[in-house]
């Protein structure tokens, strides 16, 4: 991937989590958060005239593209606001309101295994990537794209796989994903999203006064600026897996060779894909054939003994 | 005893130098022939020399595949 | 593209320099207008912008050192220079090692982002009845006609069109783009270079000149500046009311109209329209927005965002129309007499068809351009930025053979590199030569030297110093001799 | 653009005039292929009303691109944990220049790309490289899960000096020997890139074939010159596929066919619980410590949970205790093979549209797809840049949402989940 130039335009996709029930628990009101977010968007638009913007909003039922809007909303002019900003702000705000008020709650598919307080995050991210793909393909000059997710809801476990797919796709496309988690516990999924794609993961303190400042400081920088300025260091999150059976964090786990689900102890049948296991643990014999050990087979033998030890 | 002469230092490729030497035979404007890429000439002639050189070069270049 | 960007940057920087030159209280007054703050902010470099944004919502001042710490180690110098620039622009104020945004600027930029503050800053929309004929398209054609008329006049093809107004010619004259000569005004070398720039750079030059003019006429510069920035931030195709404007601004309005940057139905009409020439300043150079406009419409599927709507407004010449072959042949799809005139500066035109001309870059044609002070790079840049979409795809856009040839032609014109100098010869003994050689070397004025011939060529400035040295030595020697007697 | 003759049976694209299926030589109408009427690519090009052929050409491009990525999507069991031996022909035939710059050069560059993609898609799988020349087979790298080893081996200059004839039998025997140690729960595959029309073998290759079948090794080949019966037979009988590359692009497509894990057919494929380590990232920044894999000093590394030795990259096998070390995301990276997206059906004009715009990127149907038309030449999928024009609607059978061609391809090649369904 080539070096980003100062003149390269960028594309920002803002994903807003407008899950009403989630926000209701938040000390920071959704309105307040949106105000700050809108200012941030304006700041982004002010950076470069060529900058491109897409705003998506998602709740537990649906995911809508707020800007560019489906219908050209007509808003009375406010002469104090810069035209370019006003259009965006008005469309975004009105769109969010309509989604919050649940006027169109019933459209979109009836929720699929997603509880209250969870959001169709993977759908939102997938659509965001589609938009990015379309813009990048359609532009001759290089466009550096990134994502900003304002998340309030909790992770939906059933979204894990799709979310992971999305994250890897983003990684392949060189799309940074910045996460702004408003309240509640850390979202493990989104943390990984930020970590893997090289974005920032922000945890807004409870009352969220400093949210805007933090956004301005960390998430406004485009790829070029991130080359120059130091990013805030994310605390390293460990990628240790949690087993599917007891949700424990495991160092050494057992993985079903069919569906790759992780278990902390031996089981006769994979609880995920109902595969019967032939009762012998596959040692990774490949160790013997490993470059280092090839010259001297002795340690290899030792290895086998060792591993069988740990298994007995 | 040291002599200091006011003038212009010309840096050029050997070919151009030869041309200048040839021009020099008409009217002496070269003060010193330093080496085969440097000449020291009388500033007053600079303009004229440049023009002369340009014309000469121009007359010696031939367009290949000149447009119809 | 990059070089073209470069040229634009250069003009922006010049206006930035102009701002730097303003005294502090002037700046404060300029900053008192959100539109101005926004426009100035957009003139900054990317890193500069980011620094400003990072501090925008910091209410307390922070240590300068901390700001430097934001940069990665190998980029420290860059950031330092940016900070320095911001301080010269009076945007950043420092006391006792702590820096903060200038309060006025911070407040007004916040206003610009949030809305609020000074009402008239983004122009007062005209609410009265407006003639229906003024559409974006119409404005575009109007502006292009006006602008090209001026350029025509510069190229001297304005036989058919009437010469532009006195104020325009005044500015052209002042900016040395044209000069008076026996037969009317004729274009200067800088004028030719001006022609080869992209429109937005040209507009910047004109505006800058206008500022200088305003200074000469003792107009209030801040007033002019604010108005200028306000115009830049106006919305294309909307009528704006003139009532709140001061006399100077009214005057300026009229003159900018004659440049085609603005439009008024009639002189003194209650409303005016900005044209894309001036609004595009705030939204980047046309050549940049062109590719993005397609992406915009692609991303949105409709021209909801400004970037998309600029696409069709950009005049045809902005979408590139020149095809250059490796055999130096040039094919240009254009009707505009202006474009043809400009091409005629360095292309040997052969055929002309209704919508299309053919020609070739010949040695003579290029030399003609070079002799007018146009540089090879300018020619190449122009061809690159106006290359036909068919060519834009490939890299490099222009065939290398041709670009190299152009550069060669430029080189062969200056085979002599003359430098005014002094020539020393006939040194007495070696020591003397070496002493002087050493001295000249220390002060770094040696152009040429030969140890065996004991000859030395130094620059004019060098000569003065050396002369002193020699004198002092002579004096010393004489004194010594006298003492010896 | 390279016409994929992947599934010659169902890929009867009109432009492709030389795709007589390698099956039997009988054409569609029972006659021999050479008896059929010669198909001319320009026959299918008709001018539209305006006398331009643009629209139809774009249409054809669309169909080709759509067809290119249509593949089997029922959630069959796939061997996620693979053991692949890559056999590279280094005989003199590889000196020919019909692939630019030479066959061997092209092959090596392709192999590089292949290895990168392979480990990206199958992070917990293993690879080994075998070269054959002068009637002998030589193992360049042994089975290992670390791409660096293989890439390094490919850089070796020795790969460029070619000699004699290849020996397929020796190569296969060696491969089998390598794969013997592979655990049974993983798939065993051989991928050959061969330029030679002959093979110089010590014994009866038929026996090798039998052995391969019993050992359940799946052999696929990409031949650079032409179809050779014995090669083809080996592929067919071991359940692999045999391709002949038309040009560099085509060769890339064909080689990359082997990147996604193949379905597991044999009943004998057992499923196991594999013991894996999920190491913790250790960055003790006081003093750099050497890693056991490359013996290079470094601050950051991953600590093997079993033997506490430090490796520098994941995924890999612990060089000391041989425990496979992965991180949870690596496992997740393979999930999309297990649950592939269904192919979208092209929406025929007439049935009612569900979405007013593309559900993915929000492009409206009415306008021709600007982005597709203006797509940069270096689009992700081979031969991209065409497309656009027409309604180009594709509908996901599950969530009944409509997508444009761009999104359709993007979703199936990069994203791997349908925004509507998740």
């Amino acid at each position: 991937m080539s070096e980003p130039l100062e003149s390269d335009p960028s594309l920002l996709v803002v994903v807003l989590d407008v899950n009403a029930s989630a926000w209701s628990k938040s000390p920071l009101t959704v309105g307040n958060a949106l105000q700050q977010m809108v200012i941030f968007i304006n700041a982004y638009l002010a950076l470069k005239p060529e900058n491109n913007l897409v705003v998506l909003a998602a709740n537990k039922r649906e995911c809508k593209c707020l800007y560019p809007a489906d219908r050209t909303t007509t808003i009375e002019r406010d002469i104090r606001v810069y035209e370019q900003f006003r259009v965006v702000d008005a469309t975004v705000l009105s769109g969010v309101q309509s989604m919050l008020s649940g006027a169109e709650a019933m459209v979109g598919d009836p929720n699929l295994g997603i509880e209250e307080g969870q959001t169709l995050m993977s759908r939102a991210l997938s659509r965001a990537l589609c938009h990015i793909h379309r813009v990048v393909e359609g532009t001759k000059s290089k466009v550096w794209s990134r994502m900003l997710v304002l998340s309030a809801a909790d992770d939906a476990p059933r979204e894990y796989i799709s979310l992971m797919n999305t994250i890897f796709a983003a990684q392949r496309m060189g799309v940074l994903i910045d996460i702004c988690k408003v309240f509640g516990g850390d979202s493990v999924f989104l943390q990984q999203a930020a970590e893997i794609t090289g974005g920032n993961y922000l945890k807004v303190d409870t009352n969220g006064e400093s949210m805007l400042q933090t956004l301005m400081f960390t998430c406004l920088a485009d790829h070029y600026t991130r080359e120059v300025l130091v990013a805030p260091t994310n605390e390293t999150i460990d990628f240790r897996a949690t087993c599917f059976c007891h949700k424990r964090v495991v160092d050494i786990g057992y993985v079903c060779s069919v569906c790759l689900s992780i278990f902390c102890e031996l089981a006769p049948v994979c609880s995920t894909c109902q595969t019967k296991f032939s009762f012998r643990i596959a040692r990774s014999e490949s160790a013997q054939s490993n470059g280092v050990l090839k010259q001297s087979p002795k340690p290899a033998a030792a290895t086998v003994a060792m591993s069988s030890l740990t298994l007995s | 005893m040291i002599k200091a002469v006011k003038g212009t230092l010309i840096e050029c490729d050997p070919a151009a130098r030869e041309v200048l030497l040839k021009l020099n035979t008409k009217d002496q404007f070269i003060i010193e022939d330093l080496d085969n890429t440097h000449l020291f000439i009388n500033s007053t002639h600079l303009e004229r020399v440049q023009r002369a050189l340009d014309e000469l070069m121009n007359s010696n270049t031939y367009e290949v595949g000149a447009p119809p | 593209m990059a070089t073209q960007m470069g040229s634009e940057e250069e003009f922006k920087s010049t206006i930035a320099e102009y701002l730097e030159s303003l005294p502090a209280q002037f700046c404060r007054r300029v900053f008192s207008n959100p539109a101005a703050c926004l426009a100035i902010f957009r003139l900054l470099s990317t890193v500069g912008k980011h620094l400003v944004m990072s501090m925008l919502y910091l209410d307390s001042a922070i240590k300068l050192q901390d700001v430097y710490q934001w940069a990665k180690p190998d980029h420290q110098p860059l950031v330092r220079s940016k900070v320095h620039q911001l301080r010269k622009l009076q945007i950043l104020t420092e006391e006792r090692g702590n820096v903060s945004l200038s309060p006025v600027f911070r407040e007004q930029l916040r206003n610009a982002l949030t809305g609020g503050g000074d009402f008239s800053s983004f122009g007062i929309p005209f609410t009265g009845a407006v003639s229906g004929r003024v559409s974006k398209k119409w404005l575009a054609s109007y502006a292009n006609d006006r602008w090209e008329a001026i350029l025509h006049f510069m190229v001297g093809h304005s036989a058919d069109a009437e010469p532009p107004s006195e104020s325009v010619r005044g500015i052209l004259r002042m900016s040395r783009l044209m000069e008076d000569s026996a037969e009317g005004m004729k274009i200067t070398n800088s004028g030719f270079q001006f022609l080869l720039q992209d429109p937005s750079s040209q507009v910047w030059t004109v505006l800058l000149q206008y500022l200088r003019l305003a200074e000469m006429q003792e107009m209030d510069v801040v007033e002019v500046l604010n108005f200028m920035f306000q115009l830049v931030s106006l919305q294309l195709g909307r009528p704006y009311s003139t009532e709140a404007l001061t006399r100077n601004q009214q005057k300026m309005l009229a003159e900018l109209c004659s440049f085609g940057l603005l439009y008024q139905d009639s002189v003194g009409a209650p409303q005016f329209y900005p044209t894309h020439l001036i609004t595009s300043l705030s939204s980047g150079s046309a050549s940049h927005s062109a590719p993005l406009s397609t992406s915009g419409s692609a991303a949105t599927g409709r021209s909801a965002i400004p970037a998309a709507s600029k696409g069709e407004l950009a005049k045809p010449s902005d979408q590139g129309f020149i095809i250059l072959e490796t055999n130096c042949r040039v094919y240009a799809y254009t009707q505009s007499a202006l474009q043809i005139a400009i091409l005629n500066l360095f292309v040997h035109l052969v055929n002309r068809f209704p919508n299309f001309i053919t020609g070739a870059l010949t040695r003579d044609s290029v030399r003609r351009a070079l002799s007018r002070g146009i540089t090879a790079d300018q020619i190449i840049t122009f061809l690159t930025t106006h290359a036909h979409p068919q060519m834009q795809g490939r890299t490099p856009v222009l065939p290398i053979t041709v670009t190299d040839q152009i550069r060669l032609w430029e080189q062969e014109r200056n085979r002599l590199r003359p430098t005014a100098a002094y020539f020393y010869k006939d040194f007495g003994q070696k020591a003397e030569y070496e002493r002087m050689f050493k001295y000249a070397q220390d002060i770094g004025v040696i152009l040429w030297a030969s140890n065996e011939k004991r000859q030395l060529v130094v620059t004019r400035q060098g000569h003065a110093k050396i002369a002193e040295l020699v004198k002092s030595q002579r004096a010393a020697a004489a004194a010594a001799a006298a003492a010896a007697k | 653009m390279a016409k994929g003759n992947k599934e010659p049976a169902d890929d009867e694209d009109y432009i492709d005039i030389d795709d007589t299926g390698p099956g039997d030589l009988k054409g569609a109408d029972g006659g021999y292929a050479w008896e059929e009427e010669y198909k001319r690519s320009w026959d299918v090009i008709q001018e539209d009303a305006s006398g331009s052929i643009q629209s139809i050409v774009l249409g054809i491009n669309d169909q080709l691109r759509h067809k290119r990525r249509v593949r089997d999507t029922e959630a069959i069991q796939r061997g996620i944990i693979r053991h692949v031996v890559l056999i590279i022909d280094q005989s003199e035939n590889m000196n020919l220049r019909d692939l630019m710059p030479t066959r061997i050069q092209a092959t090596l560059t392709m192999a590089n790309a292949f290895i990168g993609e392979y480990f990206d898609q199958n992070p917990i799988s293993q690879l080994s490289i075998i070269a054959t020349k002068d009637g002998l087979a030589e193992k360049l790298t042994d089975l290992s899960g670390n791409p660096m080893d293989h890439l390094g081996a490919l850089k070796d200059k020795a790969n460029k000096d070619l000699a004699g004839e290849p020996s397929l039998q020796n190569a296969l025997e060696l491969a089998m020997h390598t794969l013997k140690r592979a655990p049974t729960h993983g798939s065993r595959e051989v991928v050959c890139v061969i330029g030679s029309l002959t093979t110089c073998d010590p014994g009866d290759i038929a026996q090798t074939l039998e052995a391969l079948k019993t050992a359940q090794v799946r052999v696929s080949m990409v031949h650079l010159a032409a179809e050779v019966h014995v090669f083809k037979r080996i592929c067919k009988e071991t359940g692999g596929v045999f391709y002949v590359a038309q040009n560099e692009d085509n060769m890339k497509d064909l080689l990359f066919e082997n990147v996604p894990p193949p379905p597991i057919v044999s009943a004998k494929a057992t499923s196991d619980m594999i013991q894996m380590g999920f190491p913790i990232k250790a960055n003790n920044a006081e003093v750099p410590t050497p890693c056991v894999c490359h013996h290079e000093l470094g601050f950051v590394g991953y600590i093997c949970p079993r033997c506490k030795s430090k490796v520098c990259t994941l995924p890999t096998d612990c060089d000391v205790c041989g425990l496979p070390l992965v991180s949870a995301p690596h496992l997740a990276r393979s999930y999309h093979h297990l649950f592939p997206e269904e192919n979208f059906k092209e929406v025929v004009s007439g049935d009612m549209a569900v979405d007013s715009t593309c559900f993915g990127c929000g492009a409206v149907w009415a306008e021709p797809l600007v982005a597709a038309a203006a797509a940069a030449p270096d689009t992700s999928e081979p031969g991209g840049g065409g497309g656009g024009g027409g309604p180009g609607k594709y509908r996901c059978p599950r969530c009944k949402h409509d997508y444009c061609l761009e999104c359709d391809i993007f979703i199936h090649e990069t994203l791997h989940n349908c925004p509507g369904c998740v």
Side-chain angles (χ1 to χ4, degrees), chain D residues 259-275:
Chain D
V259 167
I264 290 179
V265 281
S266 68
K268 275 182 70 227
T270 64
S271 51
D272 289 316
M273 280 192 143
I274 318 136
Q275 193 175 30

Side-chain angles (χ1 to χ4, degrees), chain B residues 53-67, chain C residues 328 345-348 360-371 379 405-406 408-413 415:
Chain B
L53 177 71
D54 204 31
E55 282 160 11
L56 196 64
M57 288 296 165
N58 211 359
S59 62
N60 289 340
T61 50
Y62 306 100
E63 280 289 315
V64 184
Chain C
C328 294
L345 288 176
F346 55 89
V347 178
H348 171 83
L361 288 167
T362 66
R363 183 166 179 276
D364 297 336
S365 66
V366 174
R367 282 171 59 87
R368 193 172 67 240
L370 294 173
S371 61
I379 295 179
Q405 182 59 74
I406 295 178
L408 285 176
W409 280 330
E410 184 184 37
Q411 278 173 19
E412 85 179 15
R413 285 193 72 255
R415 298 184 65 166

Side-chain angles (χ1 to χ4, degrees), chain D residues 381-405:
Chain D
E381 71 278 359
K393 271 199 227 171
Y394 299 89
R395 174 167 300 169
C396 170
R398 268 166 64 207
C399 63
K400 299 282 181 287
H401 282 297
D402 293 348
Y403 297 90
C404 63
L405 180 64

Side-chain angles (χ1 to χ4, degrees), chain D residues 321-332:
Chain D
C321 65
L323 182 71
L325 301 177
V326 297
S327 67
H330 286 117
L331 292 181

Side-chain angles (χ1 to χ4, degrees), chain D residues 59 69 83 92 107 116 123 128 157 232 238 240 266 269 275 289 295 306 311 356 371 377 393 397 414:
Chain D
R69 47 131 287 267
H83 304 81
E92 279 162 349
T107 310
S128 160
K157 280 280 160 292
K232 182 163 168 56
T238 56
S266 68
Q275 193 175 30
T289 51
H295 312 293
R306 184 195 278 160
V311 297
S356 61
K393 271 199 227 171
T414 318

